[in-house]
Amino acid sequence: MQKIKSLMARQGLKSPQESMTDLSPVENLRTPVTEEMRELRQQPIDPQAEQEIIDSIEEVYFSNDSFDMVRHELEKLPPELNLQELEEYRDKLKRQQGAVSKRVADLILEKQPSYVKELERVTALQTNLQLAAVICTNARRQLRVAKEEFTEASLGLLANQRRRQLLTGLLKSLRTIKTLQRTDVRLSEMLEEEDYPGAIQLCLECQKAASTFKHYSCISELNSKLQDTLEQIEEQLDVALSRTCKHFDVLHYTKVQKAYTLLGKTQTAMDQLHMHFTQAIHNTVFQVVLGYVELCAGNADTKFQKMQYKDLCTHITLDSYIPCLTDLCKALWEVMLSYHRTMQWHEEHDKQKTAPSQDDAVAEPDELTVDRSYVKKKLEHGLTRIWQDVQLKVKVYILGTDMSNFKYDDFIVVLDVISRLMQVGEEFCGSKSEVLQESIKRQSVNYFKNYHRARLEELRMFLENETWELCPVKSNFNIAQLHEFKFMGQCRSPSVSPSRQAASSVAPVLEELSLFQQYHQDGNPFEMHIEQKEEETEDVLASNGYESDELEKSVYQDYDSDSDVADELKQDYVDEQTGDAPLKSVSRETIRSKKKSDYNLSKASAPILTNTTLNVIRLVGKYMQMMNILKPIAFDVIHCVSQLFDYYLYAVYTFFGRNDMPVPSPSLPTYSGREAVPARVVGPACLYESSGLGLISSRLRTTLNRIQESLIDMDPIGENVVVHGHPEDRKEKVPSPHLSQMVVLTDSGTLYGLAQRVVATESLVFLAEQFEFLQSHLDTMMPAAKKPFLQQFYSQTVSTASELRKPIYWIVAAKAIDYEQMLLMMAGVKWDIKEIMSQHNVYVDVLLKEFEQFNKRLSDVSRHVRIPLPVSNVLWEHCIRLANRTLVEGYANVKKCSNEGRALMQLDFQQFLMKLEKLTDLRPIPDKEFVETYIKAYYLTENDMEQFIKNHREYSMKQLANLVNVCLGSHINKKARQKLLAAIDDIDRPKR
C-alpha cells in the first residue's frame, strides 16, 4: 500500500483518506473529481503490453513497504553516466509507472460503488459519534451536579459502614487472640484435673485458630507457645500412661487412650505402654528387695541403691526371705493384673466400636482398622514378654539365697508361692514357666537332698529312743486330719476322701474362676496361703488312748458282760475264716473268751501307732506337699518316701523279729556281716523250723535283703566287717538302728514285751494301710516312665508289712509256754500198757494250765494295749502249732508203745483239744491233723507205711524212724524195718 501511495504522490494524486481530510464535512459529501482517471483512460490500452510492462518491474519494488526506490535507482547508476542511456532508462521507468498507475486507476474505478457506500457509512458513523459526544458532555455536567449535591455524603456513609464492619471483625479477632493468649492457664487447670482429652482438644483448636490469624505478627509467638504446651501435655500424658502399669483405673486409662487418639499416636502409645510395663517390673522388684535389704541391714553404710538387682538379692536374710518373696509376688501380680485389665479394656472397646458399624453398615476408616490390629498384636505379643521379665526377676531372687538350711514349713511356703505364681503365669499367657520351674527345681533338689538325709537321721534317733508305747489318738483318726495332708482337700485327686470331696464341692463356682477373675477388683492370690495357715486346727489326740474315761470303763465292762451278744452267737459259733459251724454248741464261757480275744469289736478301736509312726506319717505328708507343688522332682521324693517306710519296716524287724530268736532259723537272712549266734535248741522249736513251715516268706526275705543293701550302713562291729559299696554310696545310707534300753523283751510277766511288739508291729501295719490309701494319689504324681517303681514298691514292700507278724509273735509264742517241761513229763509216761485207760495223763493238764496262764497274761496285756483279732489269732496259732509239734516230738521219743498206748495218746490229744477250744475261738485248730495222722500211722501195714513215709515229709527223719522202730515186732518185721528205714534215708539224702 505504501508503494501505491508513493506512486500516487509522484503523480499528484491523493488517497481517498487524504482527500477526505482536506474536505470540510460538507464538501466530503460530494463526488470527487475524476480528471486524473480520465487522463489515464485516454492513454492507449493494450492489456498484453501493459502486463508485460508490469512484469518487467523488478521484484525488489514489491519486497518491502519501506523500500527506498530512489536510493535504489541512484545506486544502480554506473560510474560514468550516459545521457542517452539515462533518458532511455527514465522512459522505461515512466512506462512502468504509467502502467502501474493505470492498473491502480482501473482498480479504483472498479471499486467506486463500494467506495461510495463505505464512505456513506463512515459519514453516518461520524454523525453518531458527534451526537454521543454531546450526550456525554451533558451527562458529565449532570454528574458533577449530583456529586456536589448527593453522592459525596452517601458514599462517605457507606465507607464509614464498611470501616465499622472491618473494625468489628478486627475486634473479634483481637478478642480471639486475647483468649488464645490466656489459654495456657486453662490448659494448666485441665492438666491438673487430668482431663487430657479436653486439654489436647483445646490445644488443637487453639492451633487451628492461630493458623487462621497467622497474618498477625503476635500469632507466630503464640504458635510456638502452643506447640511447647502440646509437647508438655504429651509428656504428662506419658507419665499418666505409666501410672496404669501398677494400678489400672478404667476412667483414667480411657482418658489417656482418648487423648492419644486425638493426637493420632495410638501405636506410639502402645509402644510406650509396653516400655513402661517393663520398667515397672524392674523398678517394682528392685524397690521391694531394696526395702527389705535396708530394713535388715539397719544403719549399715553400704550403698545398696547403687547395687545391681542380682547382687541385691544375695543380701536378703533368711528371716526376711519369705515376706520379701510374698511382697515381690504381690507387686508383680499388680503389674500383671494391670496388663490383663488393659487387654480387657481394649477388647471391650473394640467390641463397642465394631458393633455400631455392623448395624449401620458404615465402613470405618482404614487407619482405625490398622491401629486396632496393631494394638491387638502388640498386646498379645507383650503377654509373653512381660511374663518372661517376671520369671527372670523371680529366678534371680530364688537363686540368690541358699535355701538348704530352711525349715520345712518355710520351704513349703516358698514352693507354694512359686507354684501360685506359675499358676498366674499359665492363666496370664498359657506359659509353662520353664524358667521358674528350672530355678525352683535346682533349689528343691539341693534342699530336699539335705532335708531327707536329716530326716532319716532323725527317724533313726526317734526309733532308738522309742519305747513303743501307744500314742493316744481318737478312734476316728484319719491322716487327712493332719496339717501335712490338708493340701489333699484342695487338689483334685482320687485319694481325697469322700468327706473332703463333699466339703470341697461347696464352692464349685470359685474353682472354675481364674485368679484374674477372682481378684479382678481387689485382693491378692498371694495372701491366701497365710490366711489358710492361720485357720488350720488339728485335734487328733485323745486322753489315755480313749476319748473319755467313761468310754474306757465301758470298754472293760463289756468284757465281763455278754448281754449285748446276739442270740445267734449264743446258740452257735460260726467260724469267721471258713464259715463252718462246729458240731457242738459253744458255751457262754467260750463266747466270753471270744469277746476277750476279738479286741477289734471294741468301741474304742483307735488305730495302734506310736509317736514315731505319727512322725513318719507327717513326713510323708510333707514330702507329698513338695511333690504336689513341684512335679519335676516327684520321682526323687517318692523314692525318699519309700525309704522312710523301708527304714521303719527294717527297724521293727530288727528290734522284735530277729535279735532275741531262741533258735537260728535258716529262713532268716544274716545281718551286720555276722552269722546268727546259735542258742540252745529247744526241741519243738527246732521241729517247727525243720518242718518246712518258714516264718519269713521269700518275698519278705527279699525285701529285707534289698533294704539292707540299699539303705543300711552296717555298723563296723566285729572282725569280719564287710564294707558294701563305695564311700559315696555310704553317704546315702543310714546306720542300722538299735533298740532302746528302756524296752525289756525278756520279762515273762509281760509276755516278753508283747505290748511293745504289738504296738511296733501294728503301727507298721497301720502305716502300710495309710500308704495303700495314698497309692492312687502318689500314682497321679508319678511320671509315667517311673510308675513301675511305685507298683513294685507296693507289691513287694508295703504289702509285706503284715507278714512281719509271724516272726515277731512267734518269739512270744515260743517262750510263753514251757514246751521242754512237757517233753520231760511225756518221757516219764509208760505207753506200752495192756489195757485201755479212761483217764488222760497229767502232762495234758499241765499243758492246758500253761495255756490258761498264757490267756490270762494275754488279757492283762490287752488292758494296756488293744490286741487286734489278727494278732490274737497269730499268737494262738503259734502256741497251738508249737504245742502240737511238741506232742508229736514227745510221741516220737517213745521207745515202746502198744495199741492201748496209742489209744491213750489219742485220749490225751482229744482232752487237750476239748479244753483248748474253750480257751480260744481259733478254728480250725492248727496242726490238729498233724498229731492225729502221726498217732494213727502206728496202725499202718508195711506197704501203707512206706507210702506214708513218701507222702508225709512234714515229719522229721527222727519222727519217722521212731515210728518204724516202735512198730517193730507188732506188725512189722526186721526186714520190713530195714526197708522202711532205707526209704526214710532216701528222703533225707537230698536234704544233706
Side-chain angles (χ1 to χ4, degrees):
M1 177 60 82
Q2 191 63 30
K3 294 177 182 178
I4 297 175
K5 286 182 178 181
S6 61
L7 180 61
M8 294 173 66
R10 289 178 184 174
Q11 294 179 351
L13 298 175
K14 295 184 180 179
S15 64
Q17 291 81 355
E18 291 175 346
S19 62
M20 288 295 294
T21 57
D22 294 340
L23 296 176
S24 62
V26 180
E27 292 175 339
N28 288 340
L29 296 174
R30 67 180 181 84
T31 303
V33 181
T34 58
E35 294 174 349
E36 294 88 354
M37 300 299 178
R38 191 182 299 113
E39 182 179 349
L40 291 172
R41 288 193 191 100
Q42 290 175 358
Q43 293 180 0
I45 301 174
D46 187 359
Q48 185 174 1
E50 183 180 346
Q51 185 63 36
E52 289 178 359
I53 293 173
I54 292 174
D55 292 339
S56 64
I57 300 174
E58 296 180 9
E59 291 295 333
V60 71
Y61 284 94
F62 304 102
S63 62
N64 195 356
D65 290 343
S66 61
F67 176 67
D68 190 357
M69 62 185 68
V70 177
R71 185 177 180 179
H72 174 69
E73 291 299 333
L74 291 176
E75 288 178 354
K76 287 176 57 178
L77 292 176
E80 296 180 0
L81 299 175
N82 189 346
L83 182 60
Q84 184 178 357
E85 292 177 357
L86 288 174
E87 289 178 354
E88 290 177 358
Y89 187 69
R90 185 193 63 186
D91 294 339
K92 178 181 179 182
L93 291 175
K94 283 184 177 183
R95 285 193 297 273
Q96 292 176 349
Q97 181 181 8
V100 171
S101 298
K102 185 177 183 300
R103 178 65 60 85
V104 172
D106 292 340
L107 290 174
I108 290 174
L109 291 175
E110 184 178 353
K111 301 295 183 180
Q112 183 67 29
S114 300
Y115 171 77
V116 175
K117 185 178 180 180
E118 188 66 28
L119 188 61
E120 290 176 353
R121 289 179 59 194
V122 172
T123 303
L125 179 61
Q126 185 178 8
T127 301
N128 291 335
L129 289 174
Q130 289 175 353
L131 181 59
V134 173
I135 292 173
C136 286
T137 301
N138 293 334
R140 287 174 183 242
R141 184 173 62 255
Q142 292 175 1
L143 283 173
R144 189 179 301 111
V145 174
K147 177 181 180 183
E148 293 174 354
E149 296 180 357
F150 174 75
T151 307
E152 284 186 357
S154 300
L155 290 179
L157 185 62
L158 292 174
N160 291 335
Q161 178 64 24
R162 182 171 179 274
R163 180 182 295 178
R164 179 185 177 185
Q165 290 179 349
L166 292 174
L167 290 175
T168 303
L170 178 61
L171 181 61
K172 185 177 180 181
S173 299
L174 291 174
R175 287 175 177 171
T176 304
I177 293 172
K178 183 180 179 180
T179 304
L180 293 177
Q181 295 287 355
R182 295 179 178 177
T183 305
D184 55 345
V185 179
R186 178 55 186 158
L187 286 174
S188 300
E189 294 176 356
M190 297 178 77
L191 289 177
E192 290 179 1
E193 297 170 0
E194 295 186 351
D195 185 10
Y196 303 107
I200 292 175
Q201 186 72 34
L202 178 59
C203 193
L204 292 177
E205 289 176 356
C206 289
Q207 282 188 330
K208 184 177 180 182
S211 63
T212 306
F213 304 107
K214 62 183 178 181
H215 49 280
Y216 296 106
S217 58
C218 61
I219 291 300
S220 59
E221 182 181 353
L222 179 62
N223 257 334
S224 61
K225 186 177 180 181
L226 288 174
Q227 186 63 33
D228 295 340
T229 304
L230 190 61
E231 292 176 359
Q232 181 183 357
I233 293 175
E234 288 188 24
E235 292 176 1
Q236 294 194 21
L237 193 60
D238 189 58
V239 175
L241 183 65
S242 66
R243 289 205 302 269
T244 63
C245 297
K246 293 184 179 179
H247 302 287
F248 183 88
D249 182 74
V250 176
L251 296 177
H252 179 77
Y253 189 74
T254 304
K255 291 180 181 179
V256 173
Q257 283 296 323
K258 186 176 180 181
Y260 273 110
T261 304
L262 290 174
L263 290 174
K265 295 184 177 181
T266 306
Q267 297 184 13
T268 305
M270 195 50 54
D271 295 338
Q272 287 293 111
L273 181 63
H274 281 79
M275 185 186 70
H276 288 315
F277 268 107
T278 303
Q279 191 68 24
I281 292 172
H282 174 76
N283 293 340
T284 298
V285 297
F286 187 84
Q287 290 301 325
V288 171
V289 176
L290 177 64
Y292 276 92
V293 170
E294 291 180 342
L295 181 65
C296 298
N299 298 325
D301 297 332
T302 308
K303 296 181 180 180
F304 295 110
Q305 292 184 351
K306 296 182 179 180
M307 284 188 177
Q308 295 292 328
Y309 173 71
K310 183 177 182 180
D311 299 329
L312 200 63
C313 290
T314 59
H315 289 77
I316 291 290
T317 61
L318 297 181
D319 294 336
S320 61
Y321 186 87
I322 293 178
C324 182
L325 176 63
T326 305
D327 289 346
L328 195 68
C329 292
K330 287 180 181 179
L332 291 173
W333 161 260
E334 295 295 338
V335 175
M336 289 186 285
L337 179 62
S338 296
Y339 193 90
H340 179 77
R341 296 185 65 185
T342 301
M343 289 194 67
Q344 281 188 331
W345 185 92
H346 281 280
E347 289 175 359
E348 295 174 359
H349 185 70
D350 290 347
K351 290 178 181 178
Q352 293 175 0
K353 290 293 183 181
T354 54
S357 64
Q358 293 175 357
D359 298 338
D360 303 338
V362 177
E364 61 181 6
D366 293 339
E367 294 181 1
L368 292 179
T369 305
V370 171
D371 286 346
R372 192 172 298 145
S373 176
Y374 179 84
V375 169
K376 183 178 180 181
K377 290 181 180 179
K378 190 75 175 179
L379 286 172
E380 291 175 352
H381 176 71
L383 283 171
T384 307
R385 178 183 169 186
I386 287 177
W387 176 239
Q388 191 69 14
D389 290 343
V390 171
Q391 285 191 90
L392 292 175
K393 296 298 181 184
V394 179
K395 174 187 176 182
V396 171
Y397 182 83
I398 291 174
L399 299 180
T401 303
D402 182 11
M403 291 189 279
S404 58
N405 296 322
F406 270 36
K407 296 179 181 178
Y408 174 81
D409 291 337
D410 292 341
F411 189 74
I412 286 297
V413 171
V414 173
L415 290 184
D416 191 29
V417 171
I418 299 302
S419 176
R420 182 60 60 92
L421 184 62
M422 288 191 286
Q423 182 184 353
V424 170
E426 185 171 0
E427 295 181 4
F428 185 66
C429 62
S431 171
K432 297 300 181 182
S433 307
E434 291 82 1
V435 175
L436 279 180
Q437 285 193 16
E438 181 60 29
S439 59
I440 199 64
K441 181 180 179 181
R442 285 170 55 185
Q443 286 284 29
S444 298
V445 170
N446 183 35
Y447 173 82
F448 190 73
K449 185 177 180 182
N450 295 329
Y451 181 79
H452 178 62
R453 177 66 185 176
R455 297 292 77 73
L456 281 178
E457 290 291 343
E458 185 180 85
L459 178 59
R460 181 172 71 91
M461 182 187 69
F462 280 143
L463 289 170
E464 291 182 346
N465 290 278
E466 178 65 64
T467 57
W468 304 102
E469 297 292 336
L470 188 66
C471 178
V473 295
K474 292 186 176 181
S475 59
N476 62 345
F477 171 73
N478 191 321
I479 61 172
Q481 300 168 358
L482 300 176
H483 289 321
E484 289 77 10
F485 292 91
K486 294 293 184 183
F487 74 96
M488 292 174 58
Q490 301 170 2
C491 60
R492 299 172 182 175
S493 171
S495 62
V496 180
S497 62
S499 61
R500 301 292 299 175
Q501 288 179 350
S504 63
S505 63
V506 175
V509 179
L510 291 178
E511 293 182 0
E512 296 176 358
L513 295 177
S514 67
L515 294 176
F516 288 98
Q517 292 172 329
Q518 293 182 41
Y519 305 99
H520 181 72
Q521 294 297 335
D522 55 0
N524 196 298
F526 298 98
E527 296 174 353
M528 181 184 301
H529 177 81
I530 300 174
E531 294 174 359
Q532 287 184 349
K533 188 116 181 168
E534 293 175 354
E535 295 174 359
E536 287 180 354
T537 57
E538 183 179 276
D539 184 17
V540 296
L541 299 180
S543 60
N544 298 325
Y546 297 94
E547 298 184 23
S548 66
D549 295 337
E550 290 75 11
L551 182 58
E552 182 179 2
K553 293 178 181 178
S554 66
V555 169
Y556 293 116
Q557 289 172 357
D558 286 344
Y559 286 153
D560 300 328
S561 172
D562 60 351
S563 59
D564 58 343
V565 179
D567 294 337
E568 291 81 0
L569 290 177
K570 293 179 181 179
Q571 294 173 0
D572 200 3
Y573 168 74
V574 180
D575 184 63
E576 294 182 0
Q577 295 181 353
T578 62
D580 298 331
L583 297 177
K584 57 183 179 180
S585 62
V586 183
S587 65
R588 295 173 65 89
E589 289 76 8
T590 304
I591 296 176
R592 292 180 63 186
S593 65
K594 175 185 182 301
K595 287 192 64 186
K596 291 179 181 179
S597 61
D598 192 3
Y599 301 101
N600 207 27
L601 294 177
S602 169
K603 295 180 180 178
S605 59
I608 297 177
L609 68 158
T610 65
N611 288 325
T612 304
T613 315
L614 203 57
N615 284 330
V616 172
I617 293 174
R618 291 183 186 276
L619 269 182
V620 173
K622 292 179 179 180
Y623 283 21
M624 290 180 64
Q625 283 184 44
M626 195 174 297
M627 271 189 296
N628 188 53
I629 297 173
L630 199 65
K631 305 244 180 347
I633 66 168
F635 171 71
D636 299 327
V637 178
I638 288 180
H639 182 262
C640 294
V641 169
S642 70
Q643 288 185 343
L644 295 176
F645 186 85
D646 288 347
Y647 196 70
Y648 193 90
L649 183 147
Y650 183 83
V652 171
Y653 170 73
T654 304
F655 293 165
F656 303 103
R658 185 194 61 176
N659 290 350
D660 56 353
M661 293 284 289
V663 294
S665 173
S667 62
L668 297 179
T670 57
Y671 299 95
S672 304
R674 301 170 294 177
E675 297 293 334
V677 179
R680 184 170 53 88
V681 178
V682 183
C686 181
L687 288 173
Y688 185 51
E689 283 305 308
S690 64
S691 64
L693 300 175
L695 293 173
I696 298 182
S697 65
S698 60
R699 184 175 62 167
L700 179 58
R701 185 187 304 111
T702 303
T703 298
L704 292 171
N705 284 329
R706 177 189 60 78
I707 296 173
Q708 176 182 293
E709 293 173 2
S710 62
L711 186 62
I712 306 302
D713 185 11
M714 307 312 298
D715 294 333
I717 301 176
E719 299 178 357
N720 300 323
V721 176
V722 179
V723 179
H724 301 280
H726 300 286
E728 295 180 359
D729 297 334
R730 294 192 62 187
K731 291 181 181 179
E732 305 297 329
K733 295 183 178 182
V734 189
S736 179
H738 301 283
L739 183 64
S740 172
Q741 295 180 355
M742 301 289 292
V743 181
V744 180
L745 302 178
T746 57
D747 186 5
S748 62
T750 61
L751 277 181
Y752 305 95
L754 177 61
Q756 288 83 358
R757 295 176 190 272
V758 169
V759 171
T761 309
E762 300 312 306
S763 67
L764 175 65
V765 173
F766 176 78
L767 185 62
E769 292 173 354
Q770 305 313 305
F771 269 79
E772 294 285 355
F773 172 72
L774 297 172
Q775 182 178 5
S776 58
H777 193 89
L778 293 173
D779 189 67
T780 59
M781 295 181 177
M782 182 68 100
K786 301 294 185 179
K787 286 188 178 181
F789 168 82
L790 187 65
Q791 296 171 357
Q792 184 179 11
F793 167 67
Y794 271 91
S795 62
Q796 297 185 5
T797 304
V798 177
S799 60
T800 60
S802 60
E803 296 180 11
L804 275 180
R805 285 170 171 162
K806 281 190 176 182
I808 291 175
Y809 297 136
W810 180 79
I811 297 173
V812 176
K815 294 181 178 182
I817 295 176
D818 192 354
Y819 304 102
E820 190 172 358
Q821 178 188 4
M822 187 173 63
L823 280 177
L824 294 175
M825 293 183 69
M826 291 178 69
V829 176
K830 185 177 181 181
W831 300 102
D832 55 346
I833 56 178
K834 299 299 182 182
E835 57 184 24
I836 297 177
M837 304 294 292
S838 61
Q839 180 65 31
H840 60 272
N841 286 303
V842 178
Y843 74 87
V844 176
D845 295 329
V846 173
L847 181 60
L848 288 172
K849 188 175 181 180
E850 289 277 343
F851 271 99
E852 290 176 356
Q853 186 66 23
F854 169 74
N855 190 30
K856 181 178 180 300
R857 285 186 290 176
L858 195 62
S859 298
D860 293 339
V861 172
S862 67
R863 293 185 177 274
H864 298 89
V865 176
R866 180 177 62 86
I867 300 179
L869 179 61
V871 177
S872 174
N873 289 340
V874 170
L875 284 169
W876 279 100
E877 180 184 354
H878 283 332
C879 290
I880 295 171
R881 284 185 186 276
L882 284 171
N884 286 336
R885 290 175 183 271
T886 303
L887 290 174
V888 173
E889 183 68 12
Y891 297 150
N893 291 332
V894 176
K895 302 298 183 181
K896 294 181 181 180
C897 182
S898 62
N899 290 335
E900 292 79 4
R902 288 292 175 184
L904 182 59
M905 290 181 184
Q906 289 183 338
L907 177 64
D908 292 344
F909 186 62
Q910 290 300 324
Q911 178 68 18
F912 171 69
L913 290 179
M914 183 181 65
K915 296 292 184 180
L916 184 63
E917 286 177 350
K918 296 179 180 181
L919 294 176
T920 179
D921 57 353
L922 185 64
R923 301 292 186 277
I925 298 298
D927 283 348
K928 174 183 176 183
E929 295 81 5
F930 183 79
V931 180
E932 292 177 343
T933 303
Y934 188 79
I935 296 174
K936 295 176 182 178
Y938 178 82
Y939 304 103
L940 298 176
T941 61
E942 175 185 346
N943 293 332
D944 293 336
M945 179 70 73
E946 184 177 1
Q947 192 65 33
F948 175 85
I949 292 172
K950 292 180 180 179
N951 294 337
H952 293 273
R953 298 189 179 186
E954 65 269 20
Y955 300 104
S956 66
M957 299 301 105
K958 174 190 173 185
Q959 292 168 352
L960 294 175
N962 180 269
L963 186 63
V964 174
N965 290 328
V966 170
C967 293
L968 178 65
S970 60
H971 54 279
I972 296 179
N973 54 30
K974 292 184 177 181
K975 184 177 180 181
R977 172 177 175 271
Q978 293 297 331
K979 181 180 178 183
L980 292 174
L981 291 176
I984 295 172
D985 190 60
D986 291 339
I987 295 174
D988 186 49
R989 189 175 292 115
K991 298 181 181 179
R992 296 173 184 172

